[in-house]
Amino acid sequence: LMLNTQNEDNSEESPQIEPVETITLTGLYGSGKSTWTSEIIEDSDENHVFVGSETADIGMDGGSIPLDDEDIVELQNVCMACNTEGEFDQAIEGVMDKLEESDRVFVEGPGNAGTRDMAGTVSSLPELDQKYVGRMINLENWEGEKSELSEQDLQTANFIAVNRPTAEYDAETVENYLEKRGIDTEVFETSLENPLTLEDLEQVDEWSTEMLAKSMGPSHLLMDPIGENSLKGDSSSHSHKDTKYGRIKADAELQDI
């Protein structure tokens, strides 16, 4: 109860803005996240804010996002998926004036971030209206992609964009992979010549926290999750897998629990 009271007090002090439409992108390094984001921004007259990390593609591309520096938030030495110290929240608070003028926010997770965990981080921020959660897949590395994909990640995304099809793998390969697992996430095939558009995304169901709850179960209510390695006393490794325990979020609704 004390934690809930403190949370309410803090929220009253925070500046209130209308939540901004947000697209969260995940995928392995080289999957095309920054390339697609750049194409959308270049073809649009709207105002955008980009949030990434030093380990995201933008850092490797040397600043490929076509925005002014003040519209780009690049987190340093921060695991965006975990956000254990609230660094992501602080970064968003730091660009509150930009958010008020923005039509859309792009959040790009680093290559090692799971879709499920990134969606959980973004959905917890009241300033962001997470409308789309996408997983980008490079079909030239399909075998490697499969080894990193979890059913929870695939269930959490409301669209999957595949690119660089080969003679062996294409969009139908991914669709069949999902069908065998009973997952109906929309799959789009995209390329530099025929990129995925915002109009295409309007065909998919808007993302909701119910998707996160379905993929995670009660763990979407947890704060500071403890992985399997931490339970064994090994804090040197960092993993988003095998998350089992944690503390209940201070603002978790009892009915949800």
Side-chain angles (χ1 to χ4, degrees):
L1 288 174
M2 290 177 63
L3 284 172
N4 278 314
T5 302
Q6 292 171 359
N7 184 270
E8 290 174 3
D9 292 342
N10 291 336
S11 63
E12 291 176 0
E13 297 172 1
S14 302
Q16 300 296 312
I17 67 169
E18 189 71 24
V20 183
E21 176 183 315
T22 301
I23 299 178
T24 301
L25 293 175
T26 63
L28 300 184
Y29 299 109
S31 60
K33 301 185 296 292
S34 293
T35 300
W36 181 73
T37 300
S38 298
E39 291 169 350
I40 294 296
I41 293 174
E42 287 178 344
D43 292 340
S44 174
D45 295 328
E46 297 177 304
N47 297 320
H48 296 95
V49 170
F50 176 88
V51 183
S53 72
E54 64 173 355
T55 55
D57 287 350
I58 180 175
M60 299 172 66
D61 294 343
S64 62
I65 302 299
L67 290 172
D68 296 331
D69 290 345
E70 57 266 27
D71 296 322
I72 295 177
V73 181
E74 192 170 6
L75 284 74
Q76 303 291 322
N77 300 314
V78 170
C79 176
M80 297 172 67
C82 296
N83 193 37
T84 52
E85 302 298 328
E87 303 95 335
F88 195 102
D89 306 63
Q90 295 168 21
I92 295 300
E93 290 179 3
V95 292
M96 198 68 70
D97 57 334
K98 287 295 178 181
L99 291 181
E100 291 179 326
E101 305 169 357
S102 177
D103 298 296
R104 187 174 296 104
V105 176
F106 288 94
V107 177
E108 180 184 314
N112 63 345
T115 308
R116 179 193 70 174
D117 297 322
M118 280 300 305
T121 294
V122 176
S123 68
S124 68
L125 301 183
E127 299 88 356
L128 304 181
D129 176 18
Q130 187 165 235
K131 190 171 183 180
Y132 301 108
V133 175
R135 181 82 186 188
M136 309 291 284
I137 293 178
N138 174 7
L139 288 169
E140 290 179 343
N141 184 37
W142 173 236
E143 294 301 325
E145 294 273 2
K146 282 195 300 183
S147 67
E148 295 295 326
L149 286 175
S150 69
E151 292 194 15
Q152 290 89 345
D153 286 338
L154 296 171
Q155 289 172 340
T156 305
N158 60 344
F159 78 94
I160 295 173
V162 301
N163 57 70
R164 302 183 186 128
T166 68
E168 190 175 3
Y169 305 123
D170 56 16
E172 188 175 353
T173 303
V174 180
E175 291 172 348
N176 292 336
Y177 183 84
L178 297 177
E179 185 178 357
K180 289 179 180 178
R181 288 156 180 78
I183 299 171
D184 59 357
T185 305
E186 190 77 29
V187 177
F188 295 94
E189 187 167 321
T190 181
S191 65
L192 291 176
E193 297 76 21
N194 187 28
L196 182 66
T197 66
L198 294 177
E199 288 74 21
D200 291 330
L201 291 185
E202 291 177 358
Q203 301 175 26
V204 307
D205 293 334
E206 187 171 327
W207 190 88
S208 71
T209 53
E210 291 181 1
M211 298 174 65
L212 187 63
K214 181 180 179 180
S215 67
M216 296 183 71
S219 60
H220 79 290
L221 299 168
L222 301 182
M223 176 175 62
D224 297 340
I226 303 172
E228 190 174 79
N229 291 326
S230 298
L231 291 173
K232 297 176 181 177
D234 178 13
S235 59
S236 60
S237 61
H238 184 102
S239 173
H240 296 139
K241 298 179 179 179
D242 300 317
T243 299
K244 296 181 179 179
Y245 305 101
R247 292 184 291 140
I248 297 296
K249 284 183 180 178
D251 60 349
E253 294 290 337
L254 183 59
Q255 183 176 352
D256 292 337
I257 298 173

